[in-house]
Amino acid sequence: MNESIAEILFSEESIARRVNELGARISRDYRGKKLTAVCVLKGAAVFFADLVRKISAPVEFAFITASSYGAAAVSKGEAEVSVPAPFEVCGKDVLLVEDIADTGVTLSCLRERFLKSGARSVKICALLNKPSRRRVKIEPDYVGFEVEDEFVVGYGMDFAEDYRNLPYIGVLSRSVYEE
Ligand code: IMP
Ligand code: MG
């Protein structure tokens, strides 16, 4: 195990099982529809790649960048959003795929923007949910796992751009970000 990881919360195997279940539920809910899966970069990239392959409905991909953290372990309270390749959301059934619903600022910002742009529906799939940290009222429609108020990394999630490639999800040792 990486020496900066205090504890492994979810192993590669348990993540794969859960992603399978989420894919099956999403496939059922979107039967007969085409969905536009929007990957919130960079944290959700690994989850997105695994999840879309477990969805049997037709899926269109889109990628956006949103960040409320910068190189810190606390949210700045607002989300900076940019779209690498513009895409049409008008009339589409959008599924926002995010790594963590934390304060909820990023997701509620994004949902508002998509609804304003004329999306027919906007649902949220978050791999992790930290409800204790919520600052705005928003609930993901699909959640992989609930987590405590701890800083986690791996399976796409970073601290200052490190640890994204760990195959499991672990708690980052406090000594890494507390001087
Ligand atoms: P929110 O806008 O506060 O909900 O922030 C959500 C974003 O913060 C997530 O997409 C993550 O990128 C980041 N984030 C929140 N908690 C953690 C964590 O424990 N580890 C890594 N990134 C996190
Ligand atoms: Mg993120």
Side-chain angles (χ1 to χ4, degrees):
M1 184 162 98
N2 189 301
E3 60 186 18
S4 306
I5 303 302
E7 183 196 348
I8 295 182
L9 290 181
F10 307 107
S11 67
E12 201 173 345
E13 296 72 24
S14 67
I15 296 169
R17 268 198 303 275
R18 190 67 187 127
V19 171
N20 253 316
E21 291 168 3
L22 288 174
R25 268 190 55 203
I26 293 167
S27 303
R28 246 183 283 131
D29 293 353
Y30 285 84
R31 190 171 293 147
K33 288 183 185 163
K34 176 178 185 169
L35 68 135
T36 301
V38 179
C39 173
V40 185
L41 296 170
K42 303 170 199 170
V46 176
F47 175 45
F48 183 87
D50 284 343
L51 180 69
V52 291
R53 287 177 290 171
K54 301 295 173 192
I55 297 175
S56 54
V59 181
E60 191 175 281
F61 291 6
F63 297 89
I64 58 171
T65 303
S67 127
S68 64
Y69 266 57
V74 286
S75 175
K76 286 184 291 184
E78 64 201 54
E80 287 162 29
V81 178
S82 73
V83 183
F87 58 98
E88 189 51 70
V89 290
C90 197
K92 302 244 166 106
D93 292 302
V94 171
L95 180 68
L96 276 169
V97 180
E98 174 63 308
D99 53 359
I100 306 188
D102 186 41
T103 63
V105 170
T106 307
L107 284 170
S108 84
C109 235
L110 290 174
R111 190 173 62 180
E112 283 317 301
R113 285 170 74 119
F114 285 123
L115 287 172
K116 265 201 197 114
S117 307
R120 181 161 63 186
S121 67
V122 180
K123 284 196 182 188
I124 293 168
C125 178
L127 174 64
L128 303 182
N129 192 24
K130 281 189 194 170
S132 62
R133 301 242 320 150
R134 207 67 97 248
R135 275 200 266 155
V136 297
K137 204 173 169 294
I138 191 153
E139 273 321 307
D141 301 277
Y142 307 96
V143 169
F145 305 99
E146 304 276 334
V147 289
E148 301 293 313
D149 182 9
E150 283 169 316
F151 199 82
V152 298
V153 294
Y155 195 67
M157 291 167 285
D158 75 311
F159 173 68
E161 298 301 330
D162 285 329
Y163 313 107
R164 291 194 196 276
N165 61 330
L166 295 178
Y168 53 82
I169 298 170
V171 176
L172 187 64
S173 301
R174 286 188 171 272
S175 60
V176 176
Y177 57 93
E178 278 176 1
E179 302 289 54

